[in-house]
Amino acid sequence: MNNRPWNIEANEQEFVNELSMILQDFAYEALTTKPQDINRFAITHFHNRIKHKSTGQGATLHSDIIANRLAPQITNSIEKNILKQSIKENNSPVDDKQLLPFPVDLHSASSTLTRSISHNRRQSIRSESIDPELTAKSFTPTHTKNQNDRQLLINYMKNIVILQDLNDEEVDKVLDLFEEIHTQQGEIIINYGDDSDYLFIVKEGQFEALDIDKRNWQVKEVAKYEMGDHFCELALLYNQKQSTTIRSLNDGLLWKIKRIDYRNVIVNLAHQRRCRYIEFLKTVPILYELNDTERMNIVDSLKLIYYNAGEIIIKQGDKADCMYFIENGNVRIEIQQNGMKQSMKDLGPGKYFGEMALIADQPRTTSAVAIDKTRLAQLSRHAFERLLGTCLDIMKRNATTYKTFKEQVKTYIQT
Ligand SMILES: Nc1ncnc2c1ncn2[C@@H]1O[C@@H]2COP(=O)(O)O[C@H]2[C@H]1O
């Protein structure tokens, strides 16, 4: 039986938090205004509160008040907005009790706000429902570029992790999705707390990122972007609100790509890569006995890694923490003994190496060097142990192959 005046069971915490916030707002306003008639003042206050709420501004009340108290010196509207958003997002260690001018337990008053904000968040790019077959066809190139701009963009895109692995054909498709925009000195490109709708690359000019210094509640420049730099990538990728305000320091030029197009690029690439890897792994003899699910799990754990001709991939005697599958290019297995280097085998696409040290828990038996530009799929020791259980059994069953293999290595070491 519930004897309390309110029937608040499931959402009790939320209710208490909201009540705390309302009381805090009211107390602060009453104490700073010191009205003659507190009852009338209360009516007006709550009337305004309802009005704000119905116009969607309710959530700003609390942060407005705290912002005014924390940094009354900030009057500039841009800076004020950053400060308010910072408080709303609850990134700052605002101590509500300190702010409160009378002793009521107002714990986590702003957590309700934070929760309601995060409820309003869109799904992350990775979790949005997608149809890869559809997105594969849904590139909408609209901004054709001259050769000079294409080359510039290609270079700049290399700094964006998610776009690094595009092949030439994919790069071509993505280039025309970037729209060029002019910016003016002082123009706000994105506001703190905004949704992330674009990724930007700087073509010309300089841009600054502004945030709140939580030690003194002053707005400060936290980053500067120049030709070739990009911003908003992570917010876009993980679908977070913007964590800084970006302002144009002079007249400039930006390339921007829409969230939806960027998302399609990623989804499409991930899908294509997955299909390609599944097919590739089917050609790797050691994995023949894996079923489709096991193979798919491995695909998700693979990390793409490139080596140029002559680069050492594995050094003999080193501790091992991964193995490799060769997707493209060739790798030479070399053994070093008495200062002499001897080639043992050249491995090409579809082959793997680096598994012995993991199986036997020993240092690398030989070195592995890229013969030409090589594209490898790397599997960590952790994933190897977790996912290759079936293969380890196969390896044991195929002990003869491995014995011969090991003996071969031993012979080289002994001679
Ligand atoms: N004779 C060989 N033929 C092909 N691959 C080899 C040979 N000797 C060593 N390797 C590979 O080279 C790798 C070096 O690191 P690991 O010892 O972890 O695993 C080794 C094998 O995958």
Side-chain angles (χ1 to χ4, degrees), residues 314 333 344-345 353-357 364-366 405 408-409:
I314 278 180
I333 304 296
M344 290 180 73
K345 188 150 189 150
F353 60 94
E355 82 296 2
M356 282 179 68
R364 297 293 192 191
T365 49
T366 62
F405 192 62
Q408 194 186 353
V409 177

Side-chain angles (χ1 to χ4, degrees), residues 193-399:
D194 278 357
D195 280 336
S196 310
D197 292 323
Y198 296 97
L199 162 80
F200 297 89
I201 297 182
V202 180
K203 183 180 176 190
E204 278 173 26
Q206 292 171 315
F207 298 80
E208 62 175 349
L210 303 169
D211 196 3
I212 289 288
D213 183 341
K214 296 194 178 99
R215 286 165 306 186
N216 56 15
W217 297 98
Q218 297 292 312
V219 174
K220 62 165 186 181
E221 183 186 286
V222 288
K224 204 165 178 177
Y225 305 103
E226 297 180 325
M227 206 161 70
D229 293 337
H230 62 273
F231 47 86
C232 298
E233 185 202 8
L234 292 179
L236 197 78
L237 194 55
Y238 297 108
N239 198 27
Q240 286 166 357
K241 304 267 180 190
Q242 295 299 339
S243 59
T244 55
T245 288
I246 310 269
R247 179 161 58 184
S248 190
L249 283 168
N250 34 44
D251 292 354
L253 285 174
L254 286 172
W255 278 303
K256 65 173 188 179
I257 184 169
K258 271 194 231 145
R259 173 188 153 77
I260 185 76
D261 289 335
Y262 191 64
R263 164 185 165 272
N264 281 353
V265 170
I266 295 164
V267 169
N268 196 27
L269 280 179
H271 176 65
Q272 283 178 2
R273 203 160 286 152
R274 216 159 190 269
C275 295
R276 203 179 59 218
Y277 271 138
I278 287 174
E279 287 314 304
F280 165 66
L281 290 184
K282 281 185 188 162
T283 68
V284 177
I286 200 173
L287 307 178
Y288 278 166
E289 289 203 12
L290 293 185
N291 63 35
D292 281 352
T293 315
E294 289 167 328
R295 211 171 277 123
M296 249 145 65
N297 283 334
I298 292 179
V299 164
D300 287 338
S301 300
L302 290 176
K303 188 174 147 200
L304 200 67
I305 182 158
Y306 291 90
Y307 284 92
N308 287 320
E311 272 191 276
I312 297 175
I313 305 162
I314 278 180
K315 202 155 163 254
Q316 187 179 330
D318 274 3
K319 268 175 72 177
D321 57 6
C322 62
M323 67 165 293
Y324 302 88
F325 298 96
I326 305 174
E327 208 198 334
N328 258 320
N330 296 280
V331 171
R332 178 156 300 152
I333 304 296
E334 294 176 344
I335 193 154
Q336 182 102 24
Q337 224 204 326
N338 305 328
M340 296 281 288
K341 210 166 30 183
Q342 185 157 10
S343 295
M344 290 180 73
K345 188 150 189 150
D346 288 354
L347 305 172
K351 296 285 186 287
Y352 63 91
F353 60 94
E355 82 296 2
M356 282 179 68
L358 301 186
I359 294 167
D361 201 15
Q362 63 183 19
R364 297 293 192 191
T365 49
T366 62
S367 293
V369 182
I371 298 174
D372 38 28
K373 196 168 165 36
T374 306
R375 184 173 160 129
L376 303 173
Q378 185 189 60
L379 189 70
S380 69
R381 175 192 280 275
H382 178 67
F384 175 85
E385 284 163 1
R386 190 166 49 92
L387 300 168
L388 292 188
T390 325
C391 301
L392 288 175
D393 290 343
I394 302 166
M395 289 169 195
K396 281 174 198 153
R397 259 187 273 142
N398 291 348

